[in-house]
């Protein structure tokens, strides 16, 4: 039975949904790559909240989704931009999320790393920015999670040049209890981070970034690069000190970056692995056997969906991620903190459904189709 989906021009087209899912079972732990999925939060749909209100989170559904990722062997990157950090989830909500998820990780034996930022601030002096970072770092370390030092909007607004980044990050790395992941998020994900590391020239910014790492290699587990530039990531990866990992955050080129070349490869910390969890895990297990061709055969077809979800304005990819989680049955509604369910158009969501269904991502294709029909009806599409 076909379903009529709207295209970008408004015309309806017929699509025949898939009847059987691609449903790999959980398997053995990964051996060749370290892989994190940045995870979304599930909003409480019954909360009497406005877009400006503190986030109202459905904790049971949010933690259940993390158990889903852990069950397939993926690590969880918590309280990152995929969790709407700075786009509906404030620091108070993020701190609660970190504590709850870290406790859940201990209970099930899951791997977790958590975002450390400065979103208590909208601006401030370098001393205030350091203090904000320190407050968040303490929360993550007390929860027993690995820290991910996220890019700071406040630091981007305050820093006068590379030396300010070197001072702030050097201070934080010296006091971190264990090796952290450094996160370089490009302006396509957050326009407020333009010119990070003290320069809009990416070559100069890369030199500063590498200088931070070189000064404290024992305190840097790895770096997460989210610039959507595969060659730049490869070039940076080859310049990292021995023992410092590169975690790709490139949601456009991840299969080739994870597969790597004769000079190395990237691990992964990706928002697209939220909807791709089981399929991505199966692909990495195939890669563990050394079969790069079969790995690419599984993961390459997912890139079209990822590029669609992350199309400009890239920061609104979270809407598509949560939409697919609803269609897949991981939550009972399509509501987001901050009201961001409205951030993508109906044709965009319809195409996301079509691409995800074609990949077999929905455990129950009939449920996904029913929910898609309900959404179309809400928008006035008569089937």
């Amino acid at each position: 039975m076909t379903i009529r989906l709207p295209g970008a021009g408004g015309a309806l087209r017929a699509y025949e949904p898939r009847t059987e899912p691609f449903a790999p079972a959980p398997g053995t732990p990964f051996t060749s790559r370290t892989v994190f999925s940045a995870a979304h939060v599930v909003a409480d749909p019954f909360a009497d909240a406005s877009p400006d209100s503190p986030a109202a989170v459905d904790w049971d559904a949010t933690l259940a989704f993390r158990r889903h990722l852990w069950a397939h062997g993926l690590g969880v990157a918590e309280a990152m931009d995929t969790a709407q950090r700075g786009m509906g989830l404030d620091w108070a909500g993020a701190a609660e999320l970190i504590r709850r998820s870290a406790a859940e990780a201990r209970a099930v034996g899951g791997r977790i790393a958590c975002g450390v930022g400065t979103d208590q601030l909208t601006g401030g002096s370098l001393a205030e920015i350091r203090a904000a970072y320190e407050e968040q770092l303490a929360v993550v370390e007390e929860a027993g999670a690995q820290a991910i030092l996220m890019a700071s909007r406040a630091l981007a607004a305050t820093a006068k040049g590379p030396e300010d980044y070197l001072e702030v990050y050097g201070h934080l790395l010296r006091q971190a209890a264990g090796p952290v992941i450094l996160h370089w998020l490009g302006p396509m994900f957050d326009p407020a981070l333009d010119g990070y590391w003290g320069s809009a020239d990416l070559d100069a910014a890369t030199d500063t970034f590498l200088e931070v790492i070189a000064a404290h290699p024992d305190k840097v587990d790895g770096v997460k690069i989210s610039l959507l530039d595969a060659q730049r990531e490869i070039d940076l990866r080859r310049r990292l000190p021995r023992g410092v990992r590169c975690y790709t955050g490139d949601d456009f080129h991840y299969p080739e970056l994870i597969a790597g070349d004769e000079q190395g490869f990237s691990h992964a910390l990706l928002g697209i692995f939220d909807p791709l969890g089981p399929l991505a895990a199966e692909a990495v297990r195939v890669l563990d056997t050394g079969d790069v061709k079969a790995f690419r055969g599984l993961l390459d077809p997912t890139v079209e969906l990822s590029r669609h979800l992350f199309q400009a304005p890239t920061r609104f990819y979270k809407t598509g991620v949560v939409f697919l989680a609803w269609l897949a049955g991981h939550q009972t509604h399509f509501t987001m903190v901050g009201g961001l369910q409205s951030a993508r158009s109906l044709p965009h969501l319809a195409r996301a459904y079509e691409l995800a269904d074609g990949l077999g991502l929905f455990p129950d294709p009939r449920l996904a189709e029913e929910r898609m029909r309900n959404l179309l009806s809400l928008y006035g599409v008569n089937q």
Side-chain angles (χ1 to χ4, degrees):
M1 186 175 180
T2 61
I3 180 173
R4 295 201 303 163
L5 301 174
L12 297 176
R13 67 184 186 281
Y15 172 70
E16 186 169 348
R18 184 168 173 155
T19 57
E20 295 295 330
F22 176 79
T28 57
F30 308 141
T31 58
S32 64
R33 303 291 188 273
T34 300
V35 181
F36 290 95
S37 167
H40 73 279
V41 293
V42 183
D44 178 355
F46 302 118
D48 185 9
S50 71
D52 295 329
S53 301
V57 177
D58 181 336
W59 294 112
D60 289 342
T62 293
L63 295 176
F65 187 76
R66 281 136 183 81
R67 290 194 296 272
H68 155 73
L69 295 172
W70 284 319
H72 285 277
L74 299 162
V76 167
E78 189 56 278
M80 304 292 289
D81 55 300
T82 304
Q84 295 181 242
R85 191 79 180 267
M87 290 184 67
L89 186 71
D90 61 11
W91 166 236
E96 181 70 10
L97 178 63
I98 288 165
R99 293 185 184 101
R100 288 176 181 255
S101 290
E104 197 72 17
R106 288 194 299 275
V108 303
R111 183 165 187 166
I112 189 167
C114 300
V116 170
T118 64
D119 42 334
Q120 315 94 309
L121 305 175
T122 55
S125 66
L126 290 181
E128 289 170 327
I129 290 167
R130 285 196 305 270
Y133 264 128
E134 288 169 345
E135 177 190 353
Q136 296 200 13
L137 180 61
V139 169
V140 170
E141 291 181 342
E142 287 167 6
Q146 184 178 17
I148 303 171
L149 293 186
M150 301 171 68
S152 163
R153 292 174 179 173
L155 183 56
T158 300
K160 303 303 183 185
E163 64 281 355
D164 288 339
Y165 290 89
L166 293 169
E167 191 278 327
V168 169
Y169 277 88
H171 176 84
L172 294 169
L173 289 172
R174 283 191 295 271
Q175 70 179 66
V180 308
I181 297 172
L182 295 180
H183 186 193
W184 185 358
L185 193 69
M188 67 289 294
F189 288 94
D190 187 343
L193 298 176
D194 194 24
Y196 211 74
W197 303 111
S199 177
D201 181 316
L202 289 178
D203 291 335
T206 297
D207 288 342
T208 302
F209 185 55
L210 289 168
E211 189 175 347
V212 169
I213 299 163
H216 307 277
D218 58 321
K219 285 295 188 74
V220 181
D221 163 65
V223 298
K224 178 191 187 303
I225 309 300
S226 298
L227 298 176
L228 302 183
D229 183 334
Q231 190 57 52
R232 183 167 294 277
E233 177 176 321
I234 292 169
D235 292 343
L236 188 152
R237 184 175 76 197
R238 291 173 179 171
R239 296 173 64 188
L240 290 173
R242 183 180 297 276
V244 175
R245 297 167 172 158
C246 181
Y247 292 93
T248 186
D250 189 329
D251 299 280
F252 285 4
H253 307 100
Y254 51 93
E256 65 201 73
L257 291 166
I258 296 170
D261 55 31
E262 67 283 354
Q263 296 186 52
F265 56 82
S266 293
H267 300 270
L269 197 164
L270 288 161
I272 191 56
F273 280 6
D274 180 303
L276 292 184
L279 190 159
E282 181 69 11
V284 175
R285 288 192 182 90
V286 169
L287 185 60
D288 287 344
T289 71
D291 193 339
V292 176
K293 183 178 180 180
F295 164 78
R296 296 291 299 268
L298 282 171
L299 214 54
D300 282 0
T302 69
V303 172
E304 185 178 6
L305 170 64
S306 189
R307 286 175 175 256
H308 178 74
L309 295 182
F310 284 79
Q311 69 182 224
T314 302
R315 64 189 181 277
F316 294 124
Y317 76 88
K318 296 95 166 171
T319 300
V321 166
V322 174
F323 173 65
L324 294 182
W326 172 56
L327 294 183
H330 294 297
Q331 54 194 80
T332 60
H333 58 85
F334 178 36
T335 305
M336 298 176 66
V337 298
L340 280 187
Q341 66 271 13
S342 64
R344 292 295 200 188
S345 69
L346 182 63
H348 177 91
L349 297 176
R351 182 60 176 158
Y353 161 73
E354 183 178 359
L355 291 170
D357 182 72
L359 292 168
L361 295 185
F362 303 130
D364 184 344
R366 290 189 177 183
L367 174 65
E369 179 186 349
E370 177 186 351
R371 290 183 169 181
M372 188 69 228
R373 288 181 184 276
N374 287 340
L375 183 69
L376 291 167
S377 176
L378 181 66
Y379 275 79
V381 178
N382 184 356
Q383 293 295 323

